[in-house]
Amino acid sequence: MEIEKQHQYFIQALNNRLCLLQQNMVANLKMLFEGDYLPLKNEYSFESIECFYFEYMYDSLDIVVWAQDIQEDVISIGAKKMLSDISDSIFSKELDRAFYDLEEQWGETEEELDAFDKLTEQLDQSKDEILTKWFVECWIEAKKDSAYNQRGFFSIHDTIYRTSLP
């Protein structure tokens, strides 16, 4: 199997999925900016928010958000999933199933296993780049009509590397 052909198939499918979800994400971000999306602990108000942190899960690409104050204390009640009104994860079940089927069909020789590992590595890197670019675009679009000007950060769950949102 050609690695590049498989890579392009999954990347195109992810881009198509993100295109379908973009308006929902922008709408949810607008609600977040208006204080209508993320519940805060009782002693805090929307004005207490210094920044929002967004993390996505490595496999499903599901995004969660929480808020911090100026002292970097978490002031939201837990983390809330973005796109919670979507019945499927960002990395759709069909795409996940297709990836699993591809893994099952892949050969068992060392060369074939190395090729599959290479495909997986390329996909992981591409997913991160595509999702980050998409989320930044959603953030910018949502902020256009908003008075919200606090900071935001976007990253893979449990990593120290974060993208600062404009």
Short mmCIF file of all heavy atoms in Angstrom, two decimals, residues 58-91:
data_model
loop_
_atom_site.label_atom_id
_atom_site.label_comp_id
_atom_site.label_asym_id
_atom_site.label_seq_id
_atom_site.Cartn_x
_atom_site.Cartn_y
_atom_site.Cartn_z
N TYR A 58 -5.53 13.31 22.05
CA TYR A 58 -4.65 12.87 20.98
C TYR A 58 -5.35 11.98 19.96
O TYR A 58 -5.16 12.13 18.76
CB TYR A 58 -3.45 12.15 21.59
CG TYR A 58 -2.30 12.01 20.64
CD1 TYR A 58 -1.56 13.12 20.25
CD2 TYR A 58 -1.97 10.78 20.12
CE1 TYR A 58 -0.51 12.99 19.37
CE2 TYR A 58 -0.91 10.64 19.25
CZ TYR A 58 -0.19 11.75 18.88
OH TYR A 58 0.84 11.62 18.01
N ASP A 59 -6.18 11.04 20.44
CA ASP A 59 -6.80 10.10 19.52
C ASP A 59 -8.10 10.61 18.91
O ASP A 59 -8.30 10.58 17.71
CB ASP A 59 -7.05 8.75 20.22
CG ASP A 59 -5.77 8.05 20.57
OD1 ASP A 59 -4.76 8.26 19.89
OD2 ASP A 59 -5.76 7.29 21.56
N SER A 60 -9.00 11.09 19.75
CA SER A 60 -10.32 11.49 19.26
C SER A 60 -10.34 12.92 18.73
O SER A 60 -11.25 13.30 18.01
CB SER A 60 -11.35 11.39 20.39
OG SER A 60 -11.06 12.36 21.39
N LEU A 61 -9.35 13.72 19.11
CA LEU A 61 -9.26 15.14 18.78
C LEU A 61 -10.33 15.97 19.48
O LEU A 61 -10.51 17.14 19.17
CB LEU A 61 -9.30 15.38 17.26
CG LEU A 61 -8.23 14.68 16.44
CD1 LEU A 61 -8.35 15.09 14.96
CD2 LEU A 61 -6.83 14.98 16.94
N ASP A 62 -11.06 15.38 20.43
CA ASP A 62 -12.05 16.14 21.18
C ASP A 62 -11.35 17.26 21.95
O ASP A 62 -10.29 17.06 22.53
CB ASP A 62 -12.81 15.24 22.16
CG ASP A 62 -13.74 14.28 21.45
OD1 ASP A 62 -14.14 14.57 20.31
OD2 ASP A 62 -14.09 13.24 22.05
N ILE A 63 -11.97 18.43 21.96
CA ILE A 63 -11.38 19.62 22.56
C ILE A 63 -12.13 19.96 23.84
O ILE A 63 -13.36 19.99 23.85
CB ILE A 63 -11.44 20.80 21.59
CG1 ILE A 63 -10.68 20.49 20.30
CG2 ILE A 63 -10.90 22.08 22.24
CD1 ILE A 63 -10.90 21.47 19.18
N VAL A 64 -11.38 20.23 24.91
CA VAL A 64 -11.97 20.70 26.15
C VAL A 64 -11.41 22.09 26.48
O VAL A 64 -10.34 22.45 26.01
CB VAL A 64 -11.72 19.74 27.34
CG1 VAL A 64 -12.37 18.39 27.09
CG2 VAL A 64 -10.24 19.58 27.62
N VAL A 65 -12.16 22.84 27.28
CA VAL A 65 -11.75 24.19 27.66
C VAL A 65 -11.91 24.36 29.16
O VAL A 65 -12.79 23.77 29.77
CB VAL A 65 -12.57 25.26 26.91
CG1 VAL A 65 -14.05 25.15 27.22
CG2 VAL A 65 -12.05 26.66 27.21
N TRP A 66 -11.03 25.16 29.75
CA TRP A 66 -11.20 25.61 31.12
C TRP A 66 -10.65 27.03 31.22
O TRP A 66 -9.94 27.49 30.33
CB TRP A 66 -10.54 24.66 32.13
CG TRP A 66 -9.05 24.66 32.15
CD1 TRP A 66 -8.24 25.44 32.91
CD2 TRP A 66 -8.18 23.84 31.37
NE1 TRP A 66 -6.92 25.16 32.65
CE2 TRP A 66 -6.85 24.18 31.70
CE3 TRP A 66 -8.38 22.86 30.40
CZ2 TRP A 66 -5.75 23.57 31.12
CZ3 TRP A 66 -7.29 22.26 29.82
CH2 TRP A 66 -5.99 22.62 30.18
N ALA A 67 -11.02 27.70 32.30
CA ALA A 67 -10.61 29.10 32.49
C ALA A 67 -9.69 29.22 33.69
O ALA A 67 -9.82 28.47 34.66
CB ALA A 67 -11.85 29.96 32.70
N GLN A 68 -8.78 30.19 33.60
CA GLN A 68 -7.89 30.50 34.72
C GLN A 68 -7.97 31.99 35.01
O GLN A 68 -8.25 32.79 34.12
CB GLN A 68 -6.44 30.13 34.40
CG GLN A 68 -6.18 28.64 34.39
CD GLN A 68 -4.71 28.31 34.22
OE1 GLN A 68 -3.94 29.12 33.74
NE2 GLN A 68 -4.34 27.12 34.61
N ASP A 69 -7.68 32.33 36.27
CA ASP A 69 -7.64 33.74 36.65
C ASP A 69 -6.20 34.25 36.56
O ASP A 69 -5.30 33.53 36.12
CB ASP A 69 -8.25 33.96 38.03
CG ASP A 69 -7.47 33.31 39.16
OD1 ASP A 69 -6.36 32.77 38.92
OD2 ASP A 69 -7.96 33.34 40.30
N ILE A 70 -5.99 35.47 37.01
CA ILE A 70 -4.67 36.11 36.92
C ILE A 70 -3.60 35.36 37.72
O ILE A 70 -2.43 35.38 37.37
CB ILE A 70 -4.75 37.60 37.34
CG1 ILE A 70 -3.47 38.34 36.97
CG2 ILE A 70 -5.02 37.75 38.83
CD1 ILE A 70 -3.55 39.05 35.69
N GLN A 71 -4.01 34.67 38.79
CA GLN A 71 -3.06 33.89 39.60
C GLN A 71 -2.83 32.49 39.02
O GLN A 71 -2.18 31.67 39.63
CB GLN A 71 -3.55 33.76 41.05
CG GLN A 71 -3.49 35.03 41.84
CD GLN A 71 -4.73 35.91 41.62
OE1 GLN A 71 -5.78 35.44 41.22
NE2 GLN A 71 -4.57 37.20 41.84
N GLU A 72 -3.42 32.23 37.85
CA GLU A 72 -3.32 30.95 37.15
C GLU A 72 -4.04 29.83 37.89
O GLU A 72 -3.73 28.65 37.73
CB GLU A 72 -1.87 30.57 36.86
CG GLU A 72 -1.18 31.56 35.94
CD GLU A 72 0.23 31.16 35.57
OE1 GLU A 72 0.73 30.12 36.04
OE2 GLU A 72 0.85 31.91 34.80
N ASP A 73 -5.04 30.20 38.70
CA ASP A 73 -5.90 29.20 39.33
C ASP A 73 -7.03 28.86 38.38
O ASP A 73 -7.57 29.75 37.70
CB ASP A 73 -6.50 29.74 40.64
CG ASP A 73 -5.45 29.96 41.71
OD1 ASP A 73 -4.46 29.20 41.74
OD2 ASP A 73 -5.61 30.90 42.50
N VAL A 74 -7.40 27.59 38.34
CA VAL A 74 -8.54 27.18 37.52
C VAL A 74 -9.80 27.68 38.20
O VAL A 74 -10.04 27.37 39.37
CB VAL A 74 -8.57 25.65 37.33
CG1 VAL A 74 -9.83 25.22 36.59
CG2 VAL A 74 -7.32 25.17 36.60
N ILE A 75 -10.59 28.46 37.49
CA ILE A 75 -11.80 29.03 38.08
C ILE A 75 -13.08 28.48 37.46
O ILE A 75 -14.17 28.80 37.90
CB ILE A 75 -11.79 30.57 37.99
CG1 ILE A 75 -11.78 31.05 36.54
CG2 ILE A 75 -10.61 31.13 38.78
CD1 ILE A 75 -11.94 32.56 36.39
N SER A 76 -12.94 27.64 36.45
CA SER A 76 -14.12 27.00 35.87
C SER A 76 -14.40 25.72 36.65
O SER A 76 -13.52 25.17 37.32
CB SER A 76 -13.91 26.70 34.39
OG SER A 76 -12.74 25.96 34.18
N ILE A 77 -15.62 25.28 36.55
CA ILE A 77 -16.00 24.02 37.20
C ILE A 77 -15.61 22.91 36.24
O ILE A 77 -16.35 22.55 35.33
CB ILE A 77 -17.50 23.99 37.52
CG1 ILE A 77 -17.85 25.15 38.44
CG2 ILE A 77 -17.89 22.65 38.13
CD1 ILE A 77 -19.33 25.33 38.70
N GLY A 78 -14.40 22.41 36.41
CA GLY A 78 -13.87 21.37 35.52
C GLY A 78 -13.60 21.90 34.13
O GLY A 78 -13.59 23.10 33.88
N ALA A 79 -13.36 20.99 33.23
CA ALA A 79 -13.15 21.32 31.82
C ALA A 79 -14.41 20.91 31.06
O ALA A 79 -14.99 19.88 31.35
CB ALA A 79 -11.93 20.58 31.28
N LYS A 80 -14.81 21.72 30.13
CA LYS A 80 -16.02 21.43 29.36
C LYS A 80 -15.64 21.10 27.92
O LYS A 80 -14.80 21.77 27.33
CB LYS A 80 -16.98 22.61 29.38
CG LYS A 80 -18.27 22.31 28.65
CD LYS A 80 -19.32 23.34 28.90
CE LYS A 80 -20.58 22.92 28.13
NZ LYS A 80 -21.67 23.82 28.35
N LYS A 81 -16.28 20.09 27.39
CA LYS A 81 -16.02 19.68 26.01
C LYS A 81 -16.61 20.72 25.05
O LYS A 81 -17.76 21.12 25.19
CB LYS A 81 -16.64 18.31 25.76
CG LYS A 81 -16.37 17.75 24.37
CD LYS A 81 -16.95 16.36 24.23
CE LYS A 81 -16.83 15.85 22.83
NZ LYS A 81 -17.47 14.55 22.65
N MET A 82 -15.79 21.13 24.11
CA MET A 82 -16.29 22.00 23.03
C MET A 82 -17.01 21.08 22.04
O MET A 82 -16.69 19.91 21.92
CB MET A 82 -15.14 22.73 22.34
CG MET A 82 -14.33 23.64 23.24
SD MET A 82 -15.25 25.03 23.93
CE MET A 82 -15.61 26.01 22.49
N LEU A 83 -17.94 21.63 21.32
CA LEU A 83 -18.74 20.85 20.37
C LEU A 83 -19.50 19.73 21.08
O LEU A 83 -19.68 18.65 20.54
CB LEU A 83 -17.89 20.26 19.25
CG LEU A 83 -17.21 21.25 18.33
CD1 LEU A 83 -16.31 20.54 17.32
CD2 LEU A 83 -18.23 22.10 17.59
N SER A 84 -19.95 19.98 22.30
CA SER A 84 -20.66 18.95 23.05
C SER A 84 -22.01 18.62 22.42
O SER A 84 -22.59 17.60 22.73
CB SER A 84 -20.85 19.39 24.50
OG SER A 84 -21.57 20.60 24.55
N ASP A 85 -22.47 19.47 21.51
CA ASP A 85 -23.73 19.20 20.84
C ASP A 85 -23.54 18.33 19.59
O ASP A 85 -24.48 18.01 18.91
CB ASP A 85 -24.43 20.50 20.46
CG ASP A 85 -23.55 21.40 19.60
OD1 ASP A 85 -22.31 21.27 19.65
OD2 ASP A 85 -24.11 22.22 18.86
N ILE A 86 -22.33 17.93 19.32
CA ILE A 86 -22.04 17.06 18.17
C ILE A 86 -22.01 15.62 18.68
O ILE A 86 -21.34 15.31 19.65
CB ILE A 86 -20.67 17.41 17.54
CG1 ILE A 86 -20.65 18.89 17.13
CG2 ILE A 86 -20.35 16.51 16.38
CD1 ILE A 86 -21.65 19.28 16.08
N SER A 87 -22.73 14.74 18.00
CA SER A 87 -22.85 13.36 18.49
C SER A 87 -21.60 12.53 18.24
O SER A 87 -21.42 11.50 18.85
CB SER A 87 -24.05 12.69 17.84
OG SER A 87 -23.86 12.61 16.44
N ASP A 88 -20.75 12.97 17.36
CA ASP A 88 -19.55 12.23 17.01
C ASP A 88 -18.33 13.05 17.40
O ASP A 88 -18.41 14.25 17.56
CB ASP A 88 -19.55 11.99 15.49
CG ASP A 88 -18.74 10.80 15.06
OD1 ASP A 88 -18.13 10.15 15.92
OD2 ASP A 88 -18.73 10.52 13.86
N SER A 89 -17.21 12.38 17.57
CA SER A 89 -15.99 13.12 17.88
C SER A 89 -15.49 13.84 16.63
O SER A 89 -15.99 13.62 15.54
CB SER A 89 -14.91 12.16 18.39
OG SER A 89 -14.50 11.29 17.36
N ILE A 90 -14.53 14.72 16.81
CA ILE A 90 -13.97 15.43 15.66
C ILE A 90 -13.35 14.43 14.69
O ILE A 90 -13.53 14.51 13.49
CB ILE A 90 -12.95 16.49 16.12
CG1 ILE A 90 -13.68 17.61 16.84
CG2 ILE A 90 -12.15 17.03 14.95
CD1 ILE A 90 -12.79 18.67 17.43
N PHE A 91 -12.60 13.47 15.23
CA PHE A 91 -12.05 12.41 14.39
C PHE A 91 -13.15 11.38 14.27
O PHE A 91 -13.34 10.54 15.12
CB PHE A 91 -10.80 11.83 15.05
CG PHE A 91 -9.94 11.03 14.12
CD1 PHE A 91 -9.32 11.63 13.04
CD2 PHE A 91 -9.73 9.68 14.33
CE1 PHE A 91 -8.51 10.90 12.18
CE2 PHE A 91 -8.93 8.95 13.47
CZ PHE A 91 -8.32 9.56 12.40
#
